[in-house]
Amino acid sequence: GPKVLQIPSHQIIDMGQMVTLNCDPVSNHLYFYWYKQILGQQMEFLVNFYNGKVMEKSKLFKDQFSVERPDGSYFTLKIQPTALEDSAVYFCASSLVDSGNTLYFGEGSRLIVV
Amino acid sequence: GDSVTQTEGPVTLSEGTSLTVNCSYETKQYPTLFWYVQYPGEGPQLLFKVPKANEKGSNRGFEATYNKEATSFHLQKASVQESDSAVYYCALSVYNQGKLIFGQGTKLSIKP
C-alpha cells in the first residue's frame, strides 16, 4: 500500500537543542498531519497542514513547534528548543483529501531528549 | 468536544476464542468511524472504516457496526489468532475537520 517515510527513525538530543523530523508523504496526498505518542499511551493530534498552511493545531503544539513543507519536499516538524517532555514517538500521516479519507502513517520518529 | 472511549487494556485471550473491544464516541456532528491497528515498531494502519450510520465494516475477520443510536462501534472477531496481537484504536473524524481523533488504544495479546 501507500508508504509514508520518516527520517530519522530515532534521535537522541540534548535539552534545549533544535530537532527537525522529516516526513515524505504519499506522493499525491494533499493533507499532512503530525501525531505524538508517549510510550504506551494513545495517539495525540498535534497539527494538520494543507495547501501550505496550518489548518488546525492542538494544545500540545507548543510555540516551540513549527511545521512546513517547502516546495513540495519533506513535510517537517521542527522543535526549537526541545524540552524533556518532548520525548515521544512522532508519527507523520498523510491523506488524499481531508481526514474523512484514510490516513496513512509512517513508522514514527522516536525522539529522546536528555 | 469530540471524543472516543474504548475498552481498557491490556486484553489477553487464547487463540481461537472470540474478541470484543468496546468503542463509544461523542460528537454532535456526523462522523466517519475507523478501526486502526498498530503493530510494535510501526505506525497505525487502517483496519477498516465506516462512513455511514448503521452500516458494517470488516477486514481480516474483524468487523464493527456503526450504531448511531448507541453511539458505539464495537470491534469483534469470532476466532482470534496469535498474529492478531497488536494495539487496536477506535477513531473518528468529523466532516470538514482535518483530524482523526483516537481512543486510548487496547493492547491485545493472544496466547497460542
Side-chain angles (χ1 to χ4, degrees):
Chain A
K3 292 283 190 186
V4 174
L5 300 176
Q6 290 189 239
I7 301 168
S9 59
H10 61 275
Q11 185 158 359
I12 301 173
I13 195 165
D14 290 326
M15 182 176 62
Q17 296 296 304
M18 181 193 76
V19 67
T20 300
L21 306 180
N22 298 291
C23 172
D24 188 9
V26 178
S27 60
N28 60 338
H29 283 187
L30 301 176
Y31 286 77
F32 314 113
Y33 312 79
W34 284 103
Y35 280 78
K36 178 181 180 180
Q37 186 177 44
I38 294 174
L39 188 64
Q41 298 184 25
Q42 73 185 94
M43 298 281 291
E44 298 192 273
F45 170 78
L46 284 177
V47 66
N48 59 15
F49 191 85
Y50 168 71
N51 199 24
K53 292 182 288 191
V54 170
M55 302 297 290
E56 184 178 352
K57 54 188 180 181
S58 73
K59 293 177 187 175
L60 297 178
F61 194 80
K62 305 179 296 183
D63 291 343
Q64 297 89 328
F65 288 33
S66 63
V67 292
E68 63 175 356
R69 193 185 187 212
D71 298 325
S73 60
Y74 286 146
F75 175 50
T76 63
L77 173 66
K78 184 185 293 187
I79 309 174
Q80 181 178 27
T82 50
L84 294 177
E85 60 265 27
D86 297 331
S87 296
V89 181
Y90 291 85
F91 289 96
C92 174
S94 68
S95 64
L96 181 59
V97 193
D98 63 23
S99 61
N101 222 270
T102 300
L103 266 66
Y104 291 88
F105 286 84
E107 295 193 344
S109 293
R110 179 178 295 280
L111 176 65
I112 299 172
V113 182
V114 296
Chain B
D2 304 327
S3 67
V4 178
T5 304
Q6 59 182 101
T7 299
E8 291 268 352
V11 173
T12 302
L13 297 174
S14 296
E15 204 166 28
T17 59
S18 65
L19 166 73
T20 297
V21 179
N22 290 331
C23 171
S24 297
Y25 65 90
E26 280 189 35
T27 180
K28 293 183 179 172
Q29 304 189 56
Y30 298 97
T32 295
L33 298 173
F34 301 77
W35 276 102
Y36 274 79
V37 57
Q38 185 179 26
Y39 299 101
E42 298 182 11
Q45 54 184 268
L46 180 71
L47 192 54
F48 55 83
K49 71 178 184 182
V50 179
K52 288 186 180 176
N54 303 320
E55 291 194 353
K56 183 163 73 174
S58 64
N59 187 18
R60 299 190 234 160
F62 291 91
E63 61 180 35
T65 299
Y66 174 167
N67 186 326
K68 186 181 175 187
E69 287 70 33
T71 63
S72 68
F73 190 52
H74 305 320
L75 181 68
Q76 296 180 309
K77 187 172 186 182
S79 176
V80 295
Q81 304 170 343
E82 197 175 349
S83 57
D84 294 329
S85 296
V87 179
Y88 292 82
Y89 290 97
C90 185
L92 74 81
S93 74
V94 174
Y95 176 70
N96 231 19
Q97 276 192 21
K99 64 183 178 185
L100 197 60
I101 298 168
F102 285 88
Q104 69 269 43
T106 302
K107 184 175 181 180
L108 175 66
S109 298
I110 307 299
K111 299 181 296 186

